[in-house]
Amino acid sequence: MLENAKVNFYEQVEDSLLKFAVIVARTEDGYIFCKHRERDTLEIPGGHREAGEAIWDTAKRELYEETGAVDFEMEPVCVYSVTTRDNFDGQESFGMLFFAKVKAFERELHSEIEKIVITGALPEKWTYPTVQPQLLEKVKEKCGI
């Protein structure tokens, strides 16, 4: 998925260009990764912006849906873009990158996510290996984590 992707970072772009929100999330015990029911890989929480939705609301919704987080502090980090031949007809697609500190979760997940994994180690098998490690590194750099 998203092979040979080129990732760029920006301070801001026009809001209408933001199609995704990705949230690097942590608890006191480590980073929070998601495992989709149909995959054997891990990923950072995030997803598509819905029509008429503010990107901040996309981030809050996706963090809740994919991790069950109900008590958290979240901040925007920067805009990112991904360009790859096999996605969006090779056009650059934009998203907002967030960082969240999660304090509490619901007991059950109610989405396509099978489980969450909280760990200090990075995944060996990423769903998006050419993109998400770069997003995580940018959050570490900008937020000092």
Side-chain angles (χ1 to χ4, degrees):
M1 292 187 177
L2 300 179
E3 292 181 27
N4 300 316
K6 179 171 175 30
V7 178
N8 288 309
F9 295 99
Y10 304 92
E11 287 304 312
Q12 62 184 25
V13 296
E14 184 179 320
D15 181 74
S16 64
L17 293 175
L18 298 172
K19 305 296 183 205
F20 304 93
V22 172
I23 311 94
V24 172
R26 284 189 58 93
T27 67
E28 291 180 359
D29 298 324
Y31 293 103
I32 304 165
F33 296 100
C34 305
K35 185 197 171 296
H36 192 283
R37 292 174 204 250
E38 298 174 359
R39 301 182 189 121
D40 64 352
T41 54
L42 295 178
E43 57 200 69
I44 296 171
H48 292 83
R49 183 181 195 180
E50 294 180 356
E53 187 175 48
I55 197 65
W56 185 263
D57 292 333
T58 303
K60 290 190 294 187
R61 177 180 54 76
E62 290 290 348
L63 184 61
Y64 169 73
E65 288 177 0
E66 296 198 350
T67 70
V70 292
D71 184 7
F72 55 87
E73 296 174 7
M74 186 168 56
E75 63 183 280
V77 175
C78 65
V79 173
Y80 72 93
S81 74
V82 176
T83 308
T84 181
R85 288 188 314 266
D86 59 352
N87 211 17
F88 297 104
D89 297 323
Q91 298 296 308
E92 188 174 26
S93 62
F94 295 89
M96 180 64 79
L97 182 58
F98 291 85
F99 173 61
K101 294 178 185 174
V102 178
K103 299 173 190 169
F105 299 92
E106 272 193 341
R107 291 187 183 267
E108 294 181 29
L109 295 174
H110 307 282
S111 71
E112 69 277 5
I113 301 302
E114 178 182 313
K115 67 179 180 178
I116 61 170
V117 174
I118 299 173
T119 178
L122 299 182
E124 289 183 23
K125 293 175 68 178
W126 291 84
T127 304
Y128 306 104
T130 61
V131 175
Q132 290 197 335
Q134 292 183 67
L135 301 182
L136 179 61
E137 285 304 313
K138 180 56 84 171
V139 170
K140 289 166 107 177
E141 170 192 318
K142 297 267 278 190
C143 298
I145 57 169

Short mmCIF file of all heavy atoms in Angstrom, two decimals, residues 45-110:
data_model
loop_
_atom_site.label_atom_id
_atom_site.label_comp_id
_atom_site.label_asym_id
_atom_site.label_seq_id
_atom_site.Cartn_x
_atom_site.Cartn_y
_atom_site.Cartn_z
N PRO A 45 -3.47 5.69 14.16
CA PRO A 45 -4.88 6.05 13.97
C PRO A 45 -5.04 7.22 13.00
O PRO A 45 -4.23 8.15 12.99
CB PRO A 45 -5.34 6.46 15.36
CG PRO A 45 -4.32 5.96 16.31
CD PRO A 45 -3.04 5.80 15.55
N GLY A 46 -6.10 7.17 12.21
CA GLY A 46 -6.40 8.26 11.30
C GLY A 46 -7.38 7.83 10.23
O GLY A 46 -7.76 6.66 10.16
N GLY A 47 -7.80 8.78 9.42
CA GLY A 47 -8.73 8.45 8.36
C GLY A 47 -9.20 9.65 7.57
O GLY A 47 -8.69 10.76 7.73
N HIS A 48 -10.19 9.39 6.73
CA HIS A 48 -10.73 10.38 5.80
C HIS A 48 -11.62 11.41 6.49
O HIS A 48 -12.39 11.07 7.37
CB HIS A 48 -11.58 9.69 4.72
CG HIS A 48 -10.79 8.84 3.80
ND1 HIS A 48 -10.43 7.55 4.11
CD2 HIS A 48 -10.29 9.10 2.57
CE1 HIS A 48 -9.75 7.04 3.10
NE2 HIS A 48 -9.64 7.95 2.16
N ARG A 49 -11.53 12.62 6.00
CA ARG A 49 -12.39 13.71 6.42
C ARG A 49 -13.74 13.55 5.73
O ARG A 49 -13.82 13.32 4.53
CB ARG A 49 -11.73 15.02 6.01
CG ARG A 49 -12.44 16.26 6.43
CD ARG A 49 -11.66 17.46 5.92
NE ARG A 49 -12.07 18.68 6.56
CZ ARG A 49 -11.54 19.86 6.29
NH1 ARG A 49 -10.59 19.97 5.37
NH2 ARG A 49 -11.96 20.93 6.92
N GLU A 50 -14.83 13.70 6.48
CA GLU A 50 -16.17 13.61 5.91
C GLU A 50 -16.60 14.98 5.39
O GLU A 50 -16.11 16.02 5.84
CB GLU A 50 -17.15 13.11 6.97
CG GLU A 50 -16.86 11.68 7.39
CD GLU A 50 -17.82 11.14 8.43
OE1 GLU A 50 -18.69 11.89 8.92
OE2 GLU A 50 -17.67 9.96 8.77
N ALA A 51 -17.54 14.99 4.46
CA ALA A 51 -18.02 16.23 3.86
C ALA A 51 -18.54 17.17 4.94
O ALA A 51 -19.30 16.76 5.82
CB ALA A 51 -19.13 15.94 2.86
N GLY A 52 -18.09 18.43 4.90
CA GLY A 52 -18.54 19.44 5.84
C GLY A 52 -17.90 19.34 7.23
O GLY A 52 -18.24 20.13 8.11
N GLU A 53 -16.99 18.41 7.43
CA GLU A 53 -16.39 18.20 8.74
C GLU A 53 -15.11 19.05 8.89
O GLU A 53 -14.29 19.09 7.98
CB GLU A 53 -16.04 16.71 8.89
CG GLU A 53 -15.57 16.29 10.26
CD GLU A 53 -15.37 14.78 10.34
OE1 GLU A 53 -14.73 14.20 9.44
OE2 GLU A 53 -15.84 14.19 11.32
N ALA A 54 -14.95 19.68 10.03
CA ALA A 54 -13.70 20.39 10.32
C ALA A 54 -12.61 19.35 10.53
O ALA A 54 -12.86 18.29 11.10
CB ALA A 54 -13.86 21.25 11.57
N ILE A 55 -11.40 19.65 10.11
CA ILE A 55 -10.31 18.67 10.20
C ILE A 55 -10.04 18.31 11.66
O ILE A 55 -9.69 17.16 11.97
CB ILE A 55 -9.04 19.15 9.46
CG1 ILE A 55 -8.08 17.99 9.20
CG2 ILE A 55 -8.37 20.29 10.21
CD1 ILE A 55 -8.59 16.94 8.26
N TRP A 56 -10.21 19.25 12.57
CA TRP A 56 -10.05 18.98 14.01
C TRP A 56 -11.07 17.92 14.44
O TRP A 56 -10.75 17.01 15.19
CB TRP A 56 -10.23 20.28 14.77
CG TRP A 56 -9.98 20.16 16.23
CD1 TRP A 56 -10.93 20.00 17.20
CD2 TRP A 56 -8.74 20.18 16.91
NE1 TRP A 56 -10.34 19.92 18.44
CE2 TRP A 56 -8.99 20.03 18.29
CE3 TRP A 56 -7.42 20.31 16.49
CZ2 TRP A 56 -7.97 20.01 19.24
CZ3 TRP A 56 -6.42 20.29 17.44
CH2 TRP A 56 -6.70 20.15 18.79
N ASP A 57 -12.31 18.05 13.95
CA ASP A 57 -13.35 17.07 14.29
C ASP A 57 -13.06 15.71 13.67
O ASP A 57 -13.36 14.68 14.27
CB ASP A 57 -14.72 17.57 13.84
CG ASP A 57 -15.17 18.78 14.65
OD1 ASP A 57 -14.75 18.92 15.82
OD2 ASP A 57 -15.94 19.60 14.11
N THR A 58 -12.47 15.70 12.49
CA THR A 58 -12.04 14.44 11.87
C THR A 58 -11.05 13.74 12.78
O THR A 58 -11.16 12.54 13.03
CB THR A 58 -11.39 14.69 10.50
OG1 THR A 58 -12.30 15.38 9.65
CG2 THR A 58 -10.96 13.39 9.84
N ALA A 59 -10.09 14.48 13.28
CA ALA A 59 -9.06 13.89 14.14
C ALA A 59 -9.67 13.33 15.42
O ALA A 59 -9.36 12.20 15.83
CB ALA A 59 -7.99 14.93 14.47
N LYS A 60 -10.56 14.08 16.05
CA LYS A 60 -11.20 13.60 17.29
C LYS A 60 -12.03 12.36 17.01
O LYS A 60 -11.97 11.38 17.76
CB LYS A 60 -12.07 14.70 17.90
CG LYS A 60 -11.27 15.85 18.47
CD LYS A 60 -12.12 16.80 19.28
CE LYS A 60 -13.12 17.52 18.41
NZ LYS A 60 -13.85 18.57 19.12
N ARG A 61 -12.79 12.36 15.91
CA ARG A 61 -13.64 11.23 15.56
C ARG A 61 -12.80 9.98 15.26
O ARG A 61 -13.08 8.90 15.77
CB ARG A 61 -14.52 11.58 14.35
CG ARG A 61 -15.38 10.42 13.86
CD ARG A 61 -16.24 10.81 12.67
NE ARG A 61 -15.51 11.39 11.56
CZ ARG A 61 -14.77 10.70 10.70
NH1 ARG A 61 -14.63 9.39 10.82
NH2 ARG A 61 -14.16 11.31 9.70
N GLU A 62 -11.77 10.15 14.45
CA GLU A 62 -10.94 9.00 14.08
C GLU A 62 -10.18 8.44 15.29
O GLU A 62 -10.07 7.23 15.43
CB GLU A 62 -9.96 9.37 12.96
CG GLU A 62 -10.61 9.60 11.62
CD GLU A 62 -11.15 8.33 10.97
OE1 GLU A 62 -10.84 7.21 11.43
OE2 GLU A 62 -11.89 8.47 9.98
N LEU A 63 -9.69 9.31 16.16
CA LEU A 63 -8.99 8.82 17.35
C LEU A 63 -9.96 7.99 18.21
O LEU A 63 -9.61 6.91 18.67
CB LEU A 63 -8.41 9.99 18.15
CG LEU A 63 -7.59 9.58 19.38
CD1 LEU A 63 -6.37 8.75 18.98
CD2 LEU A 63 -7.17 10.82 20.16
N TYR A 64 -11.18 8.49 18.38
CA TYR A 64 -12.18 7.75 19.15
C TYR A 64 -12.54 6.42 18.46
O TYR A 64 -12.52 5.36 19.08
CB TYR A 64 -13.43 8.59 19.38
CG TYR A 64 -14.57 7.77 19.92
CD1 TYR A 64 -14.56 7.33 21.24
CD2 TYR A 64 -15.63 7.39 19.10
CE1 TYR A 64 -15.59 6.54 21.74
CE2 TYR A 64 -16.66 6.60 19.59
CZ TYR A 64 -16.63 6.18 20.91
OH TYR A 64 -17.65 5.38 21.39
N GLU A 65 -12.88 6.50 17.16
CA GLU A 65 -13.32 5.30 16.45
C GLU A 65 -12.25 4.22 16.40
O GLU A 65 -12.56 3.03 16.51
CB GLU A 65 -13.74 5.65 15.02
CG GLU A 65 -15.04 6.40 14.92
CD GLU A 65 -15.40 6.82 13.51
OE1 GLU A 65 -14.63 6.53 12.56
OE2 GLU A 65 -16.45 7.44 13.33
N GLU A 66 -11.00 4.61 16.22
CA GLU A 66 -9.95 3.62 16.00
C GLU A 66 -9.22 3.18 17.26
O GLU A 66 -8.58 2.14 17.25
CB GLU A 66 -8.96 4.14 14.95
CG GLU A 66 -9.64 4.31 13.61
CD GLU A 66 -8.70 4.39 12.45
OE1 GLU A 66 -7.47 4.52 12.65
OE2 GLU A 66 -9.19 4.33 11.31
N THR A 67 -9.34 3.95 18.34
CA THR A 67 -8.66 3.55 19.58
C THR A 67 -9.59 3.44 20.77
O THR A 67 -9.21 2.87 21.79
CB THR A 67 -7.55 4.56 19.96
OG1 THR A 67 -8.14 5.79 20.39
CG2 THR A 67 -6.57 4.77 18.82
N GLY A 68 -10.78 4.05 20.68
CA GLY A 68 -11.68 4.08 21.84
C GLY A 68 -11.31 5.17 22.82
O GLY A 68 -11.85 5.23 23.93
N ALA A 69 -10.39 6.08 22.46
CA ALA A 69 -9.96 7.15 23.35
C ALA A 69 -11.14 8.07 23.68
O ALA A 69 -11.82 8.56 22.78
CB ALA A 69 -8.83 7.96 22.72
N VAL A 70 -11.38 8.27 24.98
CA VAL A 70 -12.48 9.15 25.41
C VAL A 70 -11.97 10.33 26.23
O VAL A 70 -12.69 11.31 26.41
CB VAL A 70 -13.55 8.38 26.21
CG1 VAL A 70 -14.30 7.41 25.30
CG2 VAL A 70 -12.96 7.65 27.40
N ASP A 71 -10.77 10.27 26.74
CA ASP A 71 -10.18 11.37 27.49
C ASP A 71 -8.78 11.58 26.94
O ASP A 71 -7.91 10.71 27.10
CB ASP A 71 -10.16 11.03 28.99
CG ASP A 71 -9.64 12.19 29.84
OD1 ASP A 71 -9.43 13.31 29.31
OD2 ASP A 71 -9.43 11.97 31.06
N PHE A 72 -8.58 12.72 26.28
CA PHE A 72 -7.27 12.97 25.65
C PHE A 72 -7.06 14.46 25.44
O PHE A 72 -8.01 15.24 25.40
CB PHE A 72 -7.15 12.22 24.32
CG PHE A 72 -8.24 12.51 23.34
CD1 PHE A 72 -8.17 13.58 22.46
CD2 PHE A 72 -9.37 11.70 23.29
CE1 PHE A 72 -9.18 13.84 21.54
CE2 PHE A 72 -10.40 11.94 22.38
CZ PHE A 72 -10.30 13.02 21.51
N GLU A 73 -5.79 14.82 25.30
CA GLU A 73 -5.39 16.15 24.88
C GLU A 73 -4.77 15.99 23.50
O GLU A 73 -3.99 15.07 23.28
CB GLU A 73 -4.36 16.73 25.84
CG GLU A 73 -4.88 16.96 27.24
CD GLU A 73 -3.78 17.39 28.19
OE1 GLU A 73 -2.63 17.64 27.74
OE2 GLU A 73 -4.07 17.45 29.39
N MET A 74 -5.14 16.89 22.59
CA MET A 74 -4.65 16.75 21.22
C MET A 74 -4.23 18.11 20.69
O MET A 74 -4.85 19.12 21.01
CB MET A 74 -5.74 16.14 20.34
CG MET A 74 -5.29 15.82 18.94
SD MET A 74 -6.47 14.79 18.03
CE MET A 74 -7.96 15.75 18.12
N GLU A 75 -3.18 18.09 19.87
CA GLU A 75 -2.71 19.33 19.25
C GLU A 75 -2.31 19.06 17.80
O GLU A 75 -1.82 17.98 17.48
CB GLU A 75 -1.52 19.90 20.01
CG GLU A 75 -0.30 18.99 20.00
CD GLU A 75 0.86 19.52 20.82
OE1 GLU A 75 1.59 20.40 20.30
OE2 GLU A 75 1.02 19.07 21.96
N PRO A 76 -2.54 20.05 16.92
CA PRO A 76 -2.06 19.90 15.55
C PRO A 76 -0.56 20.04 15.50
O PRO A 76 0.03 20.80 16.27
CB PRO A 76 -2.75 21.05 14.80
CG PRO A 76 -3.07 22.05 15.85
CD PRO A 76 -3.24 21.32 17.15
N VAL A 77 0.09 19.29 14.62
CA VAL A 77 1.54 19.32 14.48
C VAL A 77 1.92 20.05 13.19
O VAL A 77 2.65 21.03 13.22
CB VAL A 77 2.14 17.90 14.50
CG1 VAL A 77 3.63 17.92 14.25
CG2 VAL A 77 1.82 17.22 15.84
N CYS A 78 1.43 19.57 12.06
CA CYS A 78 1.70 20.20 10.77
C CYS A 78 0.85 19.51 9.71
O CYS A 78 0.18 18.52 9.97
CB CYS A 78 3.18 20.12 10.40
SG CYS A 78 3.79 18.44 10.13
N VAL A 79 0.92 20.04 8.51
CA VAL A 79 0.28 19.42 7.35
C VAL A 79 1.29 18.48 6.72
O VAL A 79 2.49 18.76 6.71
CB VAL A 79 -0.15 20.49 6.33
CG1 VAL A 79 -0.67 19.86 5.05
CG2 VAL A 79 -1.19 21.43 6.95
N TYR A 80 0.80 17.35 6.22
CA TYR A 80 1.66 16.44 5.47
C TYR A 80 1.00 16.18 4.13
O TYR A 80 -0.20 16.39 3.95
CB TYR A 80 1.89 15.12 6.23
CG TYR A 80 0.67 14.23 6.26
CD1 TYR A 80 0.47 13.25 5.29
CD2 TYR A 80 -0.31 14.40 7.23
CE1 TYR A 80 -0.66 12.45 5.30
CE2 TYR A 80 -1.43 13.61 7.25
CZ TYR A 80 -1.62 12.65 6.28
OH TYR A 80 -2.74 11.86 6.28
N SER A 81 1.80 15.75 3.18
CA SER A 81 1.25 15.33 1.89
C SER A 81 1.89 14.03 1.47
O SER A 81 3.02 13.72 1.87
CB SER A 81 1.44 16.39 0.81
OG SER A 81 2.79 16.43 0.40
N VAL A 82 1.16 13.27 0.68
CA VAL A 82 1.65 12.02 0.13
C VAL A 82 1.41 12.06 -1.38
O VAL A 82 0.32 12.42 -1.82
CB VAL A 82 0.94 10.80 0.74
CG1 VAL A 82 1.38 9.51 0.07
CG2 VAL A 82 1.17 10.74 2.25
N THR A 83 2.44 11.71 -2.12
CA THR A 83 2.32 11.59 -3.57
C THR A 83 2.82 10.21 -3.96
O THR A 83 3.91 9.81 -3.58
CB THR A 83 3.16 12.66 -4.29
OG1 THR A 83 2.84 13.94 -3.77
CG2 THR A 83 2.92 12.62 -5.79
N THR A 84 1.98 9.48 -4.67
CA THR A 84 2.35 8.15 -5.15
C THR A 84 1.61 7.88 -6.45
O THR A 84 0.48 8.33 -6.64
CB THR A 84 2.06 7.07 -4.09
OG1 THR A 84 2.46 5.80 -4.58
CG2 THR A 84 0.62 7.05 -3.68
N ARG A 85 2.25 7.14 -7.33
CA ARG A 85 1.66 6.86 -8.65
C ARG A 85 0.31 6.15 -8.56
O ARG A 85 -0.58 6.40 -9.36
CB ARG A 85 2.61 6.00 -9.47
CG ARG A 85 3.83 6.69 -9.96
CD ARG A 85 4.62 5.81 -10.93
NE ARG A 85 4.78 4.44 -10.46
CZ ARG A 85 5.82 3.99 -9.79
NH1 ARG A 85 6.81 4.80 -9.50
NH2 ARG A 85 5.90 2.74 -9.41
N ASP A 86 0.15 5.25 -7.59
CA ASP A 86 -1.03 4.41 -7.56
C ASP A 86 -2.16 4.93 -6.67
O ASP A 86 -3.09 4.22 -6.35
CB ASP A 86 -0.66 2.98 -7.13
CG ASP A 86 -0.01 2.93 -5.76
OD1 ASP A 86 0.29 4.00 -5.20
OD2 ASP A 86 0.20 1.82 -5.25
N ASN A 87 -2.10 6.21 -6.31
CA ASN A 87 -3.13 6.77 -5.45
C ASN A 87 -3.47 8.18 -5.90
O ASN A 87 -2.58 8.99 -6.17
CB ASN A 87 -2.61 6.79 -3.99
CG ASN A 87 -3.70 6.63 -2.98
OD1 ASN A 87 -4.80 6.20 -3.29
ND2 ASN A 87 -3.40 6.99 -1.75
N PHE A 88 -4.74 8.51 -6.00
CA PHE A 88 -5.20 9.85 -6.40
C PHE A 88 -4.60 10.27 -7.74
O PHE A 88 -4.20 11.42 -7.91
CB PHE A 88 -4.90 10.89 -5.32
CG PHE A 88 -5.61 10.63 -4.03
CD1 PHE A 88 -4.93 10.10 -2.94
CD2 PHE A 88 -6.96 10.88 -3.90
CE1 PHE A 88 -5.58 9.83 -1.75
CE2 PHE A 88 -7.62 10.63 -2.71
CZ PHE A 88 -6.93 10.10 -1.64
N ASP A 89 -4.49 9.33 -8.67
CA ASP A 89 -3.97 9.61 -10.01
C ASP A 89 -2.60 10.29 -9.97
O ASP A 89 -2.29 11.13 -10.81
CB ASP A 89 -4.95 10.46 -10.82
CG ASP A 89 -6.25 9.74 -11.07
OD1 ASP A 89 -6.22 8.51 -11.28
OD2 ASP A 89 -7.31 10.40 -11.04
N GLY A 90 -1.80 9.96 -8.97
CA GLY A 90 -0.47 10.53 -8.86
C GLY A 90 -0.43 11.94 -8.32
O GLY A 90 0.65 12.55 -8.26
N GLN A 91 -1.58 12.47 -7.91
CA GLN A 91 -1.65 13.83 -7.38
C GLN A 91 -1.28 13.85 -5.90
O GLN A 91 -1.53 12.89 -5.17
CB GLN A 91 -3.07 14.42 -7.55
CG GLN A 91 -3.51 14.53 -8.99
CD GLN A 91 -2.65 15.51 -9.77
OE1 GLN A 91 -2.45 16.64 -9.34
NE2 GLN A 91 -2.14 15.06 -10.90
N GLU A 92 -0.73 14.94 -5.47
CA GLU A 92 -0.38 15.14 -4.06
C GLU A 92 -1.67 15.22 -3.24
O GLU A 92 -2.58 15.97 -3.58
CB GLU A 92 0.43 16.44 -3.93
CG GLU A 92 1.02 16.69 -2.58
CD GLU A 92 1.93 17.91 -2.57
OE1 GLU A 92 1.74 18.83 -3.40
OE2 GLU A 92 2.83 17.95 -1.73
N SER A 93 -1.78 14.41 -2.19
CA SER A 93 -2.95 14.47 -1.31
C SER A 93 -2.47 14.96 0.07
O SER A 93 -1.38 14.62 0.51
CB SER A 93 -3.63 13.11 -1.20
OG SER A 93 -2.77 12.15 -0.65
N PHE A 94 -3.32 15.75 0.73
CA PHE A 94 -2.93 16.43 1.96
C PHE A 94 -3.72 15.95 3.17
O PHE A 94 -4.91 15.62 3.06
CB PHE A 94 -3.15 17.94 1.82
CG PHE A 94 -2.27 18.57 0.78
CD1 PHE A 94 -2.69 18.65 -0.54
CD2 PHE A 94 -1.03 19.08 1.12
CE1 PHE A 94 -1.89 19.24 -1.50
CE2 PHE A 94 -0.22 19.67 0.16
CZ PHE A 94 -0.65 19.75 -1.16
N GLY A 95 -3.06 15.97 4.32
CA GLY A 95 -3.71 15.67 5.58
C GLY A 95 -3.10 16.49 6.69
O GLY A 95 -2.04 17.10 6.53
N MET A 96 -3.79 16.52 7.82
CA MET A 96 -3.28 17.21 9.00
C MET A 96 -2.76 16.16 9.97
O MET A 96 -3.42 15.15 10.22
CB MET A 96 -4.37 18.05 9.67
CG MET A 96 -3.90 18.79 10.91
SD MET A 96 -2.63 20.04 10.60
CE MET A 96 -3.64 21.37 9.98
N LEU A 97 -1.58 16.40 10.49
CA LEU A 97 -0.95 15.50 11.44
C LEU A 97 -1.15 16.06 12.85
O LEU A 97 -0.90 17.25 13.09
CB LEU A 97 0.54 15.39 11.11
CG LEU A 97 1.40 14.47 11.94
CD1 LEU A 97 0.89 13.03 11.90
CD2 LEU A 97 2.85 14.54 11.44
N PHE A 98 -1.61 15.22 13.76
CA PHE A 98 -1.88 15.61 15.14
C PHE A 98 -1.07 14.74 16.10
O PHE A 98 -0.65 13.64 15.75
CB PHE A 98 -3.37 15.41 15.48
CG PHE A 98 -4.30 16.33 14.77
CD1 PHE A 98 -4.75 16.04 13.49
CD2 PHE A 98 -4.76 17.49 15.38
CE1 PHE A 98 -5.62 16.88 12.83
CE2 PHE A 98 -5.63 18.35 14.72
CZ PHE A 98 -6.07 18.05 13.44
N PHE A 99 -0.93 15.24 17.33
CA PHE A 99 -0.36 14.46 18.42
C PHE A 99 -1.36 14.47 19.57
O PHE A 99 -1.91 15.52 19.92
CB PHE A 99 0.97 15.05 18.88
CG PHE A 99 1.51 14.38 20.12
CD1 PHE A 99 1.81 13.02 20.11
CD2 PHE A 99 1.69 15.09 21.28
CE1 PHE A 99 2.29 12.39 21.25
CE2 PHE A 99 2.19 14.48 22.42
CZ PHE A 99 2.48 13.12 22.41
N ALA A 100 -1.62 13.29 20.14
CA ALA A 100 -2.57 13.18 21.25
C ALA A 100 -1.96 12.42 22.42
O ALA A 100 -1.24 11.44 22.22
CB ALA A 100 -3.84 12.47 20.79
N LYS A 101 -2.25 12.90 23.61
CA LYS A 101 -1.93 12.20 24.85
C LYS A 101 -3.24 11.64 25.37
O LYS A 101 -4.14 12.41 25.73
CB LYS A 101 -1.30 13.14 25.87
CG LYS A 101 0.04 13.68 25.46
CD LYS A 101 0.56 14.65 26.50
CE LYS A 101 1.86 15.27 26.04
NZ LYS A 101 2.32 16.32 26.94
N VAL A 102 -3.36 10.32 25.39
CA VAL A 102 -4.61 9.66 25.76
C VAL A 102 -4.54 9.25 27.23
O VAL A 102 -3.58 8.61 27.66
CB VAL A 102 -4.88 8.44 24.86
CG1 VAL A 102 -6.16 7.74 25.28
CG2 VAL A 102 -4.96 8.88 23.40
N LYS A 103 -5.61 9.61 27.96
CA LYS A 103 -5.69 9.29 29.39
C LYS A 103 -6.65 8.15 29.70
O LYS A 103 -6.49 7.47 30.70
CB LYS A 103 -6.12 10.54 30.16
CG LYS A 103 -5.16 11.70 30.01
CD LYS A 103 -5.73 12.94 30.64
CE LYS A 103 -4.89 14.15 30.29
NZ LYS A 103 -5.54 15.39 30.65
N ALA A 104 -7.68 7.97 28.84
CA ALA A 104 -8.67 6.92 29.12
C ALA A 104 -9.31 6.43 27.83
O ALA A 104 -9.45 7.19 26.86
CB ALA A 104 -9.75 7.43 30.07
N PHE A 105 -9.72 5.14 27.83
CA PHE A 105 -10.34 4.48 26.69
C PHE A 105 -11.69 3.90 27.09
O PHE A 105 -11.90 3.54 28.25
CB PHE A 105 -9.48 3.30 26.22
CG PHE A 105 -8.11 3.65 25.76
CD1 PHE A 105 -7.04 3.64 26.65
CD2 PHE A 105 -7.87 3.99 24.44
CE1 PHE A 105 -5.76 3.95 26.23
CE2 PHE A 105 -6.59 4.30 24.02
CZ PHE A 105 -5.53 4.29 24.91
N GLU A 106 -12.56 3.73 26.09
CA GLU A 106 -13.76 2.92 26.28
C GLU A 106 -13.32 1.47 26.38
O GLU A 106 -12.25 1.10 25.92
CB GLU A 106 -14.70 3.05 25.08
CG GLU A 106 -15.65 4.19 25.20
CD GLU A 106 -16.77 4.12 24.18
OE1 GLU A 106 -16.65 3.42 23.16
OE2 GLU A 106 -17.77 4.78 24.42
N ARG A 107 -14.18 0.64 26.92
CA ARG A 107 -13.84 -0.78 27.09
C ARG A 107 -13.81 -1.54 25.77
O ARG A 107 -13.05 -2.47 25.61
CB ARG A 107 -14.83 -1.46 28.03
CG ARG A 107 -14.70 -1.00 29.45
CD ARG A 107 -15.60 -1.84 30.34
NE ARG A 107 -15.56 -1.37 31.71
CZ ARG A 107 -14.75 -1.85 32.63
NH1 ARG A 107 -13.89 -2.79 32.32
NH2 ARG A 107 -14.78 -1.38 33.85
N GLU A 108 -14.68 -1.16 24.82
CA GLU A 108 -14.77 -1.89 23.55
C GLU A 108 -14.60 -0.95 22.37
O GLU A 108 -14.99 0.21 22.44
CB GLU A 108 -16.15 -2.56 23.43
CG GLU A 108 -16.39 -3.65 24.44
CD GLU A 108 -17.77 -4.30 24.24
OE1 GLU A 108 -18.25 -4.31 23.09
OE2 GLU A 108 -18.32 -4.77 25.23
N LEU A 109 -14.06 -1.49 21.28
CA LEU A 109 -13.96 -0.75 20.02
C LEU A 109 -15.23 -0.99 19.22
O LEU A 109 -15.79 -2.08 19.25
CB LEU A 109 -12.73 -1.19 19.24
CG LEU A 109 -11.39 -0.90 19.89
CD1 LEU A 109 -10.27 -1.53 19.08
CD2 LEU A 109 -11.17 0.60 20.04
N HIS A 110 -15.66 0.02 18.47
CA HIS A 110 -16.90 -0.07 17.71
C HIS A 110 -16.67 0.21 16.22
O HIS A 110 -17.51 0.81 15.56
CB HIS A 110 -17.93 0.92 18.26
CG HIS A 110 -18.16 0.79 19.72
ND1 HIS A 110 -18.94 -0.19 20.27
CD2 HIS A 110 -17.69 1.52 20.77
CE1 HIS A 110 -18.96 -0.07 21.59
NE2 HIS A 110 -18.20 0.96 21.91
#
